[in-house]
Amino acid sequence: MSDATDADGLTVGQVSARLGVTVRALHHWDEIGLACPSLRTAAGYRLYTAGDLERLHRVVVYREIGLGLDRIRVVLDHPATDVPDALRAQRAQVAERIDRLQRLGAGLDRMIEAHERGLLLTVEQQADVFGPDWDPDGPAQARGKYGDTTQWRQYAERAASRGPEEWRAVADATAAVDRALGDAMDAGVAPGSPEANRFVERHREVFGAYFPLTRQMQVCLGRMYETDPGFAAHYDGIRPGLAQWFRRAVDASARTHGIDPDTATWQ
């Protein structure tokens, strides 16, 4: 390394500011012999010449397009290297990353929309999936009521990845468990019996398509199914008295797990 006066070349700090590269990175490149300052002052300070700066410019450019330091060394130091070929290969990798980022961006857009709307289906798709009696304003009303809850956020995260067919599977599973509950009541299955408890667990499992449902939360739902006019009409429309039967079944199942239905809270 040649000696220089303090007026020659650029210091590490000056090069760092000029290229937007950290001093630590410059020191590392120097240590591994990738881009070294050619001059040193009498006081021992390292200085970069114009030629050094040109090499550093290339290192920075190649690093920013994604080349690793070992690959950069090959491109810079081996005359036989086909630089355009190396850059084309890197361009292909960049294109792949762009595609992944675009897909990630689209997923984030759906997640944002799901948090704001809940259900990412058109009105026509909703009617097709959930039936003509479905209220397309229901998701907006639910967001207004529950939008600041953990359960709404969990529901939105599930909704973001679902299209019509996925929602159809959820709707079919929900309808199937509702019919099974009605059949169980008709068959005289007693709340608190092992068979009734299995139906309660099946309901909790199916409801998990919307958000995780604890047994205490299920007790709260059973209470709402019986007392809320809309829910009571739905379940009693399947079988008269089903809303009350289901609440009794849920309460009895909760007791077997040490939960007092009278004091259960949404947790």
Side-chain angles (χ1 to χ4, degrees):
M1 180 177 291
S2 302
D3 291 335
T5 67
D6 290 340
D8 294 325
L10 296 175
T11 65
V12 173
Q14 290 171 324
V15 170
S16 171
R18 179 170 298 192
L19 298 183
V21 176
T22 66
V23 170
R24 182 176 180 179
L26 292 171
H27 285 164
H28 177 61
W29 297 347
D30 182 13
E31 290 168 1
I32 66 175
L34 178 63
C36 306
S38 299
L39 301 177
R40 186 177 295 275
T41 68
Y45 294 107
R46 294 169 296 182
L47 297 176
Y48 290 86
T49 66
D52 298 333
L53 199 61
E54 175 60 28
R55 182 178 177 90
L56 280 169
H57 271 295
R58 297 181 69 191
V59 171
V60 171
V61 169
Y62 289 148
R63 188 184 66 159
E64 288 189 350
I65 65 173
L67 288 181
L69 296 182
D70 290 340
R71 187 61 177 159
I72 292 173
R73 188 193 305 277
V74 171
V75 171
L76 294 180
D77 295 339
H78 294 265
T81 300
D82 188 335
V83 175
D85 186 61
L87 295 180
R88 287 190 190 97
Q90 187 61 26
R91 178 67 179 86
Q93 294 182 29
V94 169
E96 291 176 4
R97 287 202 297 273
I98 290 172
D99 181 63
R100 287 197 299 272
L101 289 173
Q102 287 176 334
R103 285 186 275 112
L104 176 61
L108 288 171
D109 287 341
R110 284 186 61 83
M111 186 72 75
I112 292 168
E113 190 177 5
H115 276 277
E116 293 175 343
R117 290 178 49 199
L119 197 60
L120 304 186
L121 300 178
T122 65
V123 172
E124 293 76 13
Q125 288 172 329
Q126 292 178 45
D128 182 55
V129 170
F130 301 110
D133 294 332
W134 173 261
D135 181 5
D137 293 329
Q141 294 170 0
R143 184 181 186 277
K145 190 173 183 179
Y146 305 112
D148 60 348
T149 65
T150 298
Q151 286 71 41
W152 178 266
R153 291 190 288 271
Q154 293 168 330
Y155 165 71
E157 289 167 3
R158 287 160 170 75
S161 62
R162 288 181 182 150
E165 292 309 310
E166 289 81 9
W167 276 117
R168 191 183 306 280
V170 171
D172 289 347
T174 302
V177 78
D178 285 349
R179 289 193 301 270
L181 292 172
D183 292 343
M185 188 188 75
D186 283 349
V189 174
S193 67
E195 186 175 2
N197 290 343
R198 285 194 293 272
F199 282 116
V200 170
E201 284 303 300
R202 177 59 182 158
H203 170 269
R204 198 162 67 90
E205 177 186 334
V206 168
F207 201 93
Y210 299 94
F211 54 80
L213 187 69
T214 67
R215 291 188 175 87
Q216 289 212 51
M217 291 162 65
Q218 190 181 30
V219 169
C220 296
L221 274 187
R223 190 183 304 152
M224 184 172 65
Y225 288 172
E226 184 180 21
T227 59
D228 181 271
F231 282 110
H234 167 76
Y235 281 97
D236 290 343
I238 297 171
R239 295 287 196 286
L242 181 58
Q244 183 184 54
W245 181 90
F246 181 64
R247 177 182 178 176
R248 290 171 54 217
V250 170
D251 287 356
S253 176
R255 290 189 185 95
T256 67
H257 292 91
I259 298 169
D260 180 358
D262 294 331
T263 60
T265 57
W266 188 262
Q267 61 182 23

